[in-house]
Amino acid sequence: MEPKLSPAVIQTAQAHEGPIETDALIIGAGPVGLFQVFELGLLEIKAHVIDSLAYPGGQPIELYPDKPIYDIPAIPVCTGKELTDALLKQIEPFGATFHLGQTVTVVQKQDDGRFYVETSKGTRFLTKTIFIAAGVGAFEPRTLKVDGLDKFEGTQLFYRVKNPADFAGKNLVIVGGGDSALDWTLNFTAEGPNKAESVILLHRRDGFKAAPASVAKMK
């Protein structure tokens, strides 16, 4: 469930014959990257933002768009989408330019002190400063290596939960042992409108790499 983007916030960079020259380049459009846009805006510095996802929001919007998040300062509870929408609203006045769906492939220090940056889509920059807000890195699903399985992607095979209601009342197999796997297992087994008919969790190890509270609920 991608956030609704304001045209005042998400601008498409115009074609440039040479590199885009800017004072600030932010790598990562998650919560930290978006708040950095705000902080720079207070100093009247406009920023360009690069992210591998096709939309801003980072981990919260990719993994927890509709799940409650409890560890945001001063916000008792919100979803990933609500957090992202609030951050986008906050930076609207500062006119950041977003370059989405691409990753940084080249960073080179120049003789004049600036940095030359190039992305996987060939977008080039000359920037005075780089702010790295990449979190755990680019979000790319670890796909299952099974011949012929790709034809089921989007119908019976999913690497991301966009709308939990789509899985209500169904028989699910969740593969993984991290936070996302456990969170969705707990979500789909809990009483409520999104409860699945059955849930099987498959993990290659005996233990889980997830928040202790989630692991405790699985026991």
Side-chain angles (χ1 to χ4, degrees):
M1 184 177 293
E2 293 84 359
K4 293 182 179 179
L5 307 178
S6 167
V9 177
I10 307 303
Q11 302 176 17
T12 301
Q14 300 297 317
H16 288 258
E17 292 184 0
I20 299 169
E21 298 192 27
T22 181
D23 289 329
L25 181 66
I26 301 171
I27 301 174
V32 174
L34 295 178
F35 192 69
Q36 186 61 55
V37 171
F38 173 79
E39 291 292 325
L40 290 169
L42 294 179
L43 300 174
E44 299 184 350
I45 299 174
K46 290 187 180 295
H48 286 255
V49 186
I50 301 171
D51 199 274
S52 62
L53 295 177
Y55 34 82
Q59 179 173 321
I61 199 66
E62 181 70 359
L63 300 183
Y64 314 112
D66 293 305
K67 286 185 59 57
I69 301 172
Y70 301 99
D71 57 355
I72 306 300
I75 301 177
V77 60
C78 69
T79 66
K81 184 178 184 302
E82 289 170 343
L83 175 63
T84 301
D85 287 343
L87 286 163
L88 290 172
K89 183 67 175 177
Q90 186 180 39
I91 67 173
E92 273 188 9
F94 303 119
T97 302
F98 284 71
H99 307 267
L100 302 172
Q102 49 196 303
T103 57
V104 172
T105 56
V106 176
V107 177
Q108 295 176 340
K109 185 72 174 290
Q110 304 298 292
D111 292 339
D112 62 2
R114 294 186 295 175
F115 295 91
Y116 172 81
V117 178
E118 188 169 335
T119 75
S120 55
K121 287 188 175 180
T123 311
R124 297 174 295 154
F125 303 87
L126 277 175
T127 179
K128 294 179 180 178
T129 55
I130 299 176
F131 296 85
I132 300 177
V136 296
F139 279 95
E140 296 181 1
R142 186 176 298 174
T143 58
L144 296 174
K145 308 302 181 184
V146 179
D147 290 341
L149 193 63
D150 55 341
K151 67 182 179 182
F152 298 103
E153 188 170 344
T155 56
Q156 293 174 276
L157 174 67
F158 302 88
Y159 292 106
R160 176 178 178 236
V161 177
K162 292 185 177 181
N163 184 8
D166 292 341
F167 302 94
K170 296 185 178 180
N171 298 300
L172 307 179
V173 176
I174 297 176
V175 181
D179 284 306
S180 184
L182 266 65
D183 284 347
W184 285 119
T185 297
L186 293 168
N187 179 276
F188 288 125
T189 55
E191 294 295 334
N194 297 328
K195 185 177 181 180
E197 176 68 22
S198 67
V199 179
I200 297 174
L201 176 64
L202 298 180
H203 185 43
R204 59 183 175 176
R205 298 189 180 95
D206 292 334
F208 299 111
K209 294 181 65 177
S214 297
V215 175
K217 291 179 182 179
M218 294 293 296
K219 294 180 179 179

